[in-house]
């Protein structure tokens, strides 16, 4: 990420939670992490498949036009 030119600060505070609350938070963060990684993996797989598609590569090298954009959207 590019650095911003404006000053910014981060304040980190420790949560005062009971043990059972901390366990619930850990489980939910882990579930969120797994969902994120699964979605990212699927996206990368589809992107790689699209890059290897000959028709898509051919269309991407063509001059920009509405027809080209429509065909690219169909490939996607």
């Amino acid at each position: 990420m590019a650095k911003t030119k404006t000053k910014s600060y981060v304040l980190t505070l420790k949560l005062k939670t009971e043990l059972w609350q901390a366990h619930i938070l850990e489980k939910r963060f882990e579930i969120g992490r797994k969902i994120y990684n699964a979605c990212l993996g699927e996206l990368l797989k589809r992107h790689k498949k699209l890059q290897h598609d000959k028709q898509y590569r051919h269309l991407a090298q063509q001059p920009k036009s509405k027809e080209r954009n429509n065909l690219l959207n169909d490939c996607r």
Side-chain angles (χ1 to χ4, degrees):
M1 270 172 65
K3 287 188 174 182
T4 59
K5 296 186 184 228
T6 59
K7 294 181 180 179
S8 60
Y9 302 93
V10 176
L11 175 64
T12 304
L13 299 172
K14 185 171 177 147
L15 286 176
K16 293 182 180 180
T17 59
E18 298 291 327
L19 185 60
W20 63 273
Q21 292 171 324
H23 287 185
I24 290 172
L25 286 173
E26 287 175 20
K27 286 179 186 177
R28 291 183 181 173
F29 284 135
E30 183 65 18
I31 291 168
R33 183 186 70 80
K34 287 180 180 180
I35 291 171
Y36 173 80
N37 285 335
C39 292
L40 182 62
E42 181 65 26
L43 176 73
L44 291 174
K45 184 170 58 173
R46 289 181 183 194
H47 181 67
K48 193 174 198 177
K49 184 178 177 183
L50 188 62
Q51 285 180 330
H52 291 296
D53 186 9
K54 288 182 181 181
Q55 181 184 7
Y56 179 81
R57 284 186 294 173
H58 175 72
L59 289 171
Q61 294 174 353
Q62 300 300 318
K64 292 183 178 181
S65 69
K66 282 189 175 185
E67 180 184 350
R68 171 196 165 243
N69 291 341
N70 290 336
L71 290 172
L72 282 173
N73 286 336
D74 290 341
C75 285
R76 290 185 189 122

